[in-house]
Amino acid sequence: MPTSTRASRGRLTRERIVAAALEHLEDSGLGTLTMRELGKRLKVEAMALYRHVPGKDELLDAVVEQLIDDMHDDAEVAATPADGWEDFVRRMARGVRRVALAHPKAFPLVASRPPEAPWLRPPLRSLGWVETFLAGLRQEGFSDRAAVDTYRAFTGFLLGTLLLEVAALGADIGPLDVMDGEDPDDALDPAGAQLRRDFPTVASMRRLLRENRSAEEFEEALDQLIERITAIREADAGS
C-alpha cells in the first residue's frame, strides 16, 4: 500500500484514507488530525470519509493495523524460526523497529490504542503476530511459560526502547489509553471459539498471558540493567 496520497488521486477507498492519515501524522502530528483536515488532504468533503471509516477512533485503529501489517511485507521478518530462536527474535525486533522509524510520529499509536485483546501488549499486539511469535518459540522447544515470559520481556524491551527513539525524532509521547475491565474472551467472542480456531497457540497460552507479573518483570529487568552496568564498569576499569 502506498504511504503517500499525493501521487494517487483515484477513487476514495479505506486504503487511501488510512494512507492519507499516516501521511498527515508524519507531516503534522496527531493533535491536528481531524476528519475535516483529512478530507482537505484528500480533496473531498469530510462526510465522504465516513462511508469508509465510521469515525476518528476507527481511523486510528486502522492506522495501527496498517503499521503492524507492514511487517508482512518485510522480507527480513521470519514467519518461522528457520535459523534458531535467536535469529527469529532478532528479525522480529528489527522489523518492528523499521516500522517505528518509517512512521515515527504515528508509532506511539501502537502503544496507546487498545489491542485486540487486553492481555496483548504493544508493540507486538496483533493476534496474528503474537500467534507467529509464540508458535515460533514453541517450535524451538520453549515451554508455554517460557514462551509467554519471553513475549513479555520482548515487548517490554522493544516498546520502551522504540518510544524513546521515536520521541527523539519528534513523536509526541503523551498519556496512553488503558483498556477497561473487559473480559479477554469477550474481546473476540463470548465462547472464545474464534480465538481457538484462528489463533490456537495464543488460545492455549491465554491463561498465562492474562497473569499480572509486572512486579517480577520489573525486578528481572532491573537485574539485567545492573548486570549491564556492571559489565560497563568492569570494561572501563580494564581499559
Side-chain angles (χ1 to χ4, degrees):
M1 185 188 76
T3 57
S4 174
T5 59
R6 291 182 179 126
S8 175
R9 301 294 182 186
R11 180 174 59 89
L12 188 63
T13 63
R14 181 183 176 88
E15 290 74 20
R16 282 193 63 211
I17 293 170
V18 172
L22 270 169
E23 183 182 77
H24 182 96
L25 287 167
E26 296 309 318
D27 287 348
S28 306
L30 179 60
T32 63
L33 179 62
T34 65
M35 299 300 270
R36 183 184 298 276
E37 288 299 315
L38 193 55
K40 290 179 182 178
R41 184 174 289 267
L42 288 164
K43 300 189 182 304
V44 298
E45 294 295 327
M47 290 303 296
L49 304 178
Y50 289 98
R51 292 197 291 271
H52 303 276
V53 182
K56 185 176 178 180
D57 280 343
E58 291 79 7
L59 174 64
L60 295 179
D61 288 340
V63 166
V64 170
E65 181 181 349
Q66 182 60 53
L67 289 174
I68 300 302
D69 281 351
D70 280 351
M71 287 175 58
H72 289 293
D73 299 324
D74 189 335
E76 294 300 313
V77 176
T80 57
D83 295 305
W85 69 265
E86 184 174 341
D87 176 75
F88 176 69
V89 169
R90 288 183 186 277
R91 286 174 178 271
M92 190 77 71
R94 290 166 180 161
V96 177
R97 183 170 183 266
R98 281 190 287 272
V99 169
L101 296 183
H103 306 285
K105 293 183 180 177
F107 184 76
L109 289 171
V110 172
S112 65
R113 299 303 301 167
E116 293 180 68
W119 30 261
L120 297 184
R121 296 159 55 135
L124 205 61
R125 44 165 290 149
S126 78
L127 281 164
W129 279 114
V130 176
E131 174 73 16
T132 295
F133 189 78
L134 295 176
L137 294 181
R138 179 184 275 177
Q139 178 182 320
E140 289 295 299
F142 282 62
S143 68
D144 286 3
R145 166 60 69 189
V148 169
D149 286 350
T150 299
Y151 165 70
R152 286 175 166 153
F154 178 85
T155 53
F157 158 77
L158 207 54
L159 185 63
T161 301
L162 293 181
L163 285 179
L164 286 173
E165 192 166 6
V166 297
L169 297 175
D172 181 14
I173 310 297
L176 304 183
D177 296 337
V178 177
M179 240 182 153
D180 59 23
E182 181 182 14
D183 184 81
D185 293 339
D186 290 343
L188 297 166
D189 61 42
Q194 178 187 344
L195 185 66
R196 290 190 296 272
R197 182 185 68 243
D198 296 338
F199 310 102
T201 309
V202 174
S204 70
M205 301 184 196
R206 179 174 48 193
R207 181 183 59 79
L208 295 175
L209 288 164
R210 292 175 67 175
E211 290 181 358
N212 184 352
R213 298 188 66 245
S214 299
E216 296 96 322
E217 290 168 18
F218 176 82
E219 292 301 329
E220 289 166 4
L222 184 58
D223 287 342
Q224 292 165 8
L225 175 62
I226 296 299
E227 290 175 6
R228 176 60 178 154
I229 294 171
T230 300
I232 292 170
R233 184 170 180 269
E234 289 175 352
D236 182 66
S239 61

Coordinates of all heavy atoms in Angstrom, one line a residue, residues 18 22 59-70 106-114 125:
V18 N -6.5 5.7 5.0 CA -5.5 5.3 6.0 C -4.1 5.8 5.6 O -3.4 6.3 6.4 CB -5.5 3.8 6.2 CG1 -4.3 3.4 7.1 CG2 -6.8 3.3 6.8
L22 N -1.8 8.5 7.7 CA -0.4 8.2 8.1 C 0.4 9.4 7.6 O 1.3 9.9 8.3 CB 0.1 6.9 7.4 CG -0.1 5.7 8.3 CD1 0.2 4.4 7.4 CD2 0.9 5.7 9.5
L59 N -10.5 5.2 12.6 CA -9.4 5.6 11.8 C -8.1 5.3 12.4 O -7.2 4.7 11.8 CB -9.5 7.1 11.4 CG -8.4 7.6 10.6 CD1 -8.3 7.0 9.2 CD2 -8.6 9.2 10.4
L60 N -7.9 5.7 13.7 CA -6.7 5.5 14.4 C -6.4 4.0 14.5 O -5.3 3.5 14.4 CB -6.7 6.2 15.7 CG -6.8 7.7 15.7 CD1 -6.8 8.2 17.1 CD2 -5.6 8.3 14.9
D61 N -7.5 3.2 14.8 CA -7.3 1.7 14.9 C -6.8 1.2 13.5 O -6.0 0.3 13.5 CB -8.6 1.1 15.3 CG -8.9 1.3 16.8 OD1 -8.0 1.7 17.5 OD2 -10.1 1.1 17.1
A62 N -7.3 1.7 12.5 CA -7.0 1.3 11.1 C -5.5 1.6 10.8 O -4.8 0.9 10.2 CB -7.9 1.9 10.1
V63 N -5.1 2.8 11.3 CA -3.7 3.2 11.1 C -2.8 2.2 11.9 O -1.7 1.8 11.3 CB -3.5 4.6 11.7 CG1 -2.0 4.9 11.8 CG2 -4.1 5.6 10.7
V64 N -3.1 1.9 13.1 CA -2.3 0.9 13.8 C -2.3 -0.4 13.1 O -1.2 -1.1 13.0 CB -2.8 0.8 15.3 CG1 -2.2 -0.4 16.0 CG2 -2.6 2.0 16.1
E65 N -3.4 -0.9 12.7 CA -3.5 -2.2 11.9 C -2.5 -2.1 10.7 O -1.8 -3.1 10.4 CB -4.9 -2.4 11.5 CG -5.1 -3.8 10.8 CD -6.5 -4.0 10.4 OE1 -7.4 -3.2 10.8 OE2 -6.8 -4.9 9.6
Q66 N -2.5 -1.0 10.0 CA -1.7 -0.9 8.8 C -0.2 -0.9 9.2 O 0.6 -1.6 8.6 CB -2.0 0.4 8.1 CG -1.2 0.6 6.8 CD -1.4 -0.6 5.8 OE1 -2.5 -0.9 5.5 NE2 -0.3 -1.2 5.4
L67 N 0.1 -0.2 10.3 CA 1.5 -0.2 10.7 C 2.0 -1.6 11.0 O 3.1 -2.0 10.6 CB 1.7 0.7 12.0 CG 1.6 2.2 11.8 CD1 1.6 2.9 13.1 CD2 2.7 2.7 10.9
I68 N 1.2 -2.4 11.8 CA 1.6 -3.7 12.1 C 1.6 -4.6 10.9 O 2.5 -5.5 10.7 CB 0.7 -4.3 13.2 CG1 0.7 -3.4 14.5 CG2 1.0 -5.7 13.6 CD1 2.1 -3.3 15.1
D69 N 0.6 -4.4 10.0 CA 0.6 -5.3 8.8 C 1.8 -5.0 7.9 O 2.1 -5.9 7.1 CB -0.7 -5.0 8.1 CG -1.9 -5.8 8.7 OD1 -1.7 -6.6 9.6 OD2 -3.0 -5.5 8.3
D70 N 2.4 -3.8 8.0 CA 3.6 -3.5 7.1 C 4.7 -4.6 7.3 O 5.4 -4.8 6.4 CB 4.1 -2.2 7.5 CG 3.3 -1.0 6.8 OD1 2.5 -1.3 6.0 OD2 3.6 0.1 7.2
A106 N 3.6 8.4 14.0 CA 2.4 7.5 14.1 C 2.6 6.4 15.1 O 1.7 5.8 15.7 CB 2.0 7.0 12.7
F107 N 3.9 6.0 15.3 CA 4.2 4.8 16.0 C 3.6 4.8 17.4 O 3.2 3.7 17.9 CB 5.7 4.5 16.0 CG 6.1 3.2 16.7 CD1 5.9 2.0 16.1 CD2 6.6 3.2 18.0 CE1 6.2 0.8 16.7 CE2 6.9 2.0 18.7 CZ 6.7 0.8 18.0
P108 N 3.6 5.9 18.2 CA 3.1 5.9 19.5 C 1.6 5.4 19.6 O 1.2 4.9 20.7 CB 3.2 7.3 20.0 CG 4.4 7.9 19.2 CD 4.3 7.2 17.9
L109 N 0.9 5.4 18.5 CA -0.5 4.9 18.5 C -0.4 3.4 18.7 O -1.4 2.8 19.2 CB -1.2 5.2 17.2 CG -1.5 6.6 16.9 CD1 -2.0 6.8 15.4 CD2 -2.6 7.1 17.9
V110 N 0.6 2.7 18.3 CA 0.7 1.3 18.6 C 0.7 1.0 20.1 O 0.2 -0.1 20.5 CB 2.1 0.7 17.9 CG1 2.3 -0.7 18.3 CG2 2.0 0.9 16.4
A111 N 1.2 1.9 20.9 CA 1.1 1.7 22.3 C -0.2 2.2 22.9 O -0.6 1.7 23.9 CB 2.3 2.5 23.0
S112 N -0.8 3.3 22.3 CA -1.9 3.9 23.0 C -3.3 3.4 22.6 O -4.2 3.5 23.4 CB -1.9 5.4 22.7 OG -2.0 5.7 21.4
R113 N -3.4 2.8 21.4 CA -4.7 2.3 21.0 C -4.9 0.9 21.7 O -4.0 0.1 21.8 CB -4.8 2.1 19.5 CG -4.6 3.4 18.7 CD -5.6 4.4 19.1 NE -7.0 4.0 18.9 CZ -8.0 4.6 19.4 NH1 -7.9 5.7 20.2 NH2 -9.2 4.2 19.2
P114 N -6.2 0.6 22.1 CA -6.5 -0.7 22.7 C -6.2 -1.8 21.7 O -6.5 -1.8 20.6 CB -8.0 -0.6 23.0 CG -8.3 0.9 23.0 CD -7.4 1.5 22.0
R125 N 1.3 -6.6 19.1 CA 0.0 -6.5 19.8 C -1.2 -7.1 19.0 O -2.3 -7.1 19.4 CB -0.3 -5.0 20.1 CG 0.0 -4.1 18.9 CD -0.6 -2.8 18.9 NE -2.0 -2.8 18.8 CZ -2.9 -2.0 19.3 NH1 -2.4 -1.0 20.0 NH2 -4.2 -2.1 19.1

